[in-house]
Amino acid sequence: MSLTENHTIAELLYENEKLSAELEAERFMLELITSLSSTELIDDGINNVLCKVGEYTCADRAYVFEINEDYTTTNTYEWCNEGITAVKEQLQNISYHDMDEYERVFDENSIFYCHDVTSLSKKQRQLFEAQGIHSTLQCAYYE
């Protein structure tokens, strides 16, 4: 990209930073894919990916929930950062119906980001606050 009268140096620097961040994200995703494809046991691979994602994002906790046929959710994998108490055993067979239409918090890209859980419904807020969660980022995966 050449400097033209339509582009200031600040704009070019911004574009460069944006492209660098995208490249870093793509490298990280490639690392995760490589890690998953090179593991013999899928459980070990998933746990490893959760650890890497948690550390990369400086998260306290990263986990996977599966939706069961009876419309309950089960926490099947959990990674916790140092000093964080695991809650996997307490997050088994939670009814989706009791969570105030929880699936509706996800956007059209299956992403749910909440900067402040106090903005959620009472039941949803209680679930997060019981785990010491103040904000959350969740990504849904559907087969």
Side-chain angles (χ1 to χ4, degrees):
M1 182 183 300
S2 63
L3 185 61
T4 67
E5 57 189 61
N6 294 332
H7 294 95
T8 66
I9 292 174
E11 288 171 329
L12 291 172
L13 289 172
Y14 171 78
E15 282 298 315
N16 186 44
E17 288 178 24
K18 187 175 157 185
L19 289 172
S20 293
E22 289 175 10
L23 179 59
E24 175 63 28
E26 288 179 13
R27 284 182 180 149
F28 180 65
M29 291 300 294
L30 182 58
E31 179 184 337
L32 295 178
I33 291 167
T34 302
S35 173
L36 267 177
S37 66
S38 65
T39 187
E40 290 186 29
L41 300 173
I42 192 66
D43 289 345
D44 291 344
I46 292 171
N47 286 320
N48 187 39
V49 165
L50 287 178
C51 176
K52 288 181 181 196
V53 168
E55 289 173 349
Y56 183 81
T57 60
C58 300
D60 290 334
R61 176 182 288 114
Y63 37 35
V64 172
F65 282 86
E66 293 183 26
I67 299 174
N68 304 314
E69 288 182 15
D70 64 354
Y71 215 54
T72 60
T73 63
T74 298
N75 184 189
T76 51
Y77 300 94
E78 178 183 41
W79 168 85
C80 294
N81 208 335
E82 193 172 316
I84 302 300
T85 304
V87 293
K88 179 179 172 184
E89 296 308 316
Q90 289 84 24
L91 298 174
Q92 303 298 311
N93 300 311
I94 296 172
S95 173
Y96 242 67
H97 297 294
D98 293 338
M99 292 308 300
D100 295 336
E101 299 181 342
Y102 189 72
E103 68 279 3
R104 292 189 185 195
V105 298
F106 290 87
D107 68 15
E108 65 277 355
N109 296 314
S110 300
I111 305 277
F112 168 44
Y113 173 68
C114 180
H115 179 71
D116 181 3
V117 298
T118 61
S119 67
L120 299 173
S121 74
K122 182 179 179 180
K123 288 180 181 182
Q124 294 167 357
R125 183 176 63 248
Q126 288 173 335
L127 177 67
F128 290 117
E129 288 177 344
Q131 300 171 64
I133 295 173
H134 303 286
S135 62
T136 186
L137 170 63
Q138 299 177 22
C139 306
Y141 168 76
Y142 303 97
E143 288 187 50

